[in-house]
Amino acid sequence: MTDAYESFQEGQRRLRSGMTAQATVPLERAKRLEPDKASIREALGIAYFRLHRWQEAEAEFRAVLELSPTDHYAHYALGRSLEKQGKDAEANGHYKLASKMRPAEQHYSDRIRDLD
């Protein structure tokens, strides 16, 4: 196993255990080693979001979308990060994209606001 994979796995374990702040350390290490791995960036974005570090979460979910533009969850999570920063119109666009990609995900469409 690579150092990046081991760090990612440790970060995931800590996230699952509710040790969110502690999860950022191995996830940031994994990101330094493998900056183009969407799974690492997503996990780090989730950690930042849970810590109310909205701008950092936004940056990570944007990075995921650069790597995988059709990632429905990344659109949703980016929308949530933007909404927390008061960027409702931009957030709404990402909610709409996520909902179009996965219409069965009710929580995606539930976030859409009538901002038009």
Side-chain angles (χ1 to χ4, degrees), residues 3-108:
D3 288 341
Y5 181 76
E6 289 175 10
S7 294
F8 172 68
Q9 289 298 310
E10 179 60 24
Q12 290 284 71
R13 276 191 295 278
R14 291 178 185 185
L15 273 176
R16 282 191 300 275
S17 298
M19 301 169 53
T20 306
Q22 296 86 345
T24 62
V25 174
L27 291 172
E28 287 169 349
R29 181 174 42 249
K31 175 183 151 180
R32 281 191 302 277
L33 295 168
E34 295 282 348
D36 293 333
K37 293 285 187 187
S39 57
I40 294 170
R41 306 299 289 262
E42 179 181 297
L44 189 54
I46 290 168
Y48 288 150
F49 187 87
R50 290 180 183 171
L51 293 169
H52 299 201
R53 293 166 62 176
W54 315 126
Q55 291 175 330
E56 290 163 294
E58 174 188 348
E60 293 306 320
F61 293 122
R62 285 190 190 281
V64 172
L65 288 171
E66 284 183 27
L67 297 166
S68 182
T70 59
D71 185 322
H72 61 93
Y73 177 77
H75 279 288
Y76 172 75
L78 176 56
R80 295 283 290 140
S81 300
L82 292 165
E83 183 179 1
K84 292 293 187 179
Q85 297 175 75
K87 301 175 183 177
D88 294 345
E90 187 178 0
N92 207 40
H94 287 283
Y95 294 148
K96 288 178 181 179
L97 285 168
S99 182
K100 291 287 186 197
M101 290 177 193
R102 287 289 169 101
E105 295 289 340
Q106 186 64 41
H107 62 279
Y108 289 179

